[in-house]
Amino acid sequence: MEPQVLLRCREDDLDLIKEVLPHATQQYTENIKQDVNITVATDNYLPADTCGGVELIALNGRVKVPNTLESRLDLISQQLVPEIRNALFGRNTNRKFTD
């Protein structure tokens, strides 16, 4: 919900990002009812070995939203740790909370 956003992507995806960015910006403006200026970082790309996705940066780097495949996989793996623990070792009756 910031008016100025910096978007980082892989250098290989730059053409695709420039193609879909106007439509994405228009949809954002229609849904949020607030204008946004998205600048694509052409001097600081995501690493080439990243599988894909983007990273949004706002407030001079204080807010960073990674939306790459790797960051999504990290997030889901952290959420699945309790289920994996239970599947491997069974439920621990001494645990008060099941994170």
Side-chain angles (χ1 to χ4, degrees), residues 2 7 12-13 21 27 30 33 37 39 44 47 51-52 56 62 69 71-72 81 83-84 86-87 89 93 96 99:
E2 295 299 320
L7 183 138
D12 295 342
D13 297 336
L21 192 59
Q27 275 190 314
E30 289 172 3
K33 309 285 190 271
N37 182 19
T39 306
N44 187 12
C51 289
L56 299 172
R62 290 185 287 178
L69 180 60
S71 65
R72 291 292 190 108
V81 166
E83 291 180 37
I84 294 170
N86 287 341
F89 307 111
T93 57
K96 184 176 180 180
D99 54 352

Side-chain angles (χ1 to χ4, degrees), residues 7-26 38-43 45 53-54:
L7 183 138
R8 289 182 61 211
C9 64
R10 295 183 322 157
E11 190 172 9
D12 295 342
D13 297 336
L14 186 59
D15 293 334
L16 176 63
I17 295 296
K18 287 184 177 182
E19 182 181 326
V20 300
L21 192 59
H23 180 67
T25 304
Q26 178 187 1
I38 301 175
T39 306
V40 179
T42 55
D43 58 341
Y45 294 106
V54 297

Side-chain angles (χ1 to χ4, degrees), residues 26-80:
Q26 178 187 1
Q27 275 190 314
Y28 176 87
T29 303
E30 289 172 3
N31 291 333
I32 303 298
K33 309 285 190 271
Q34 180 181 350
D35 288 333
V36 64
N37 182 19
I38 301 175
T39 306
V40 179
T42 55
D43 58 341
N44 187 12
Y45 294 106
L46 290 176
D49 62 349
T50 303
C51 289
V54 297
E55 189 174 83
L56 299 172
I57 302 168
L59 293 174
N60 296 325
R62 290 185 287 178
V63 175
K64 182 177 172 183
V65 180
N67 195 13
T68 61
L69 180 60
E70 288 84 356
S71 65
R72 291 292 190 108
L73 290 174
D74 287 341
L75 181 65
I76 196 77
S77 69
Q78 291 301 317
Q79 292 174 348
L80 290 176

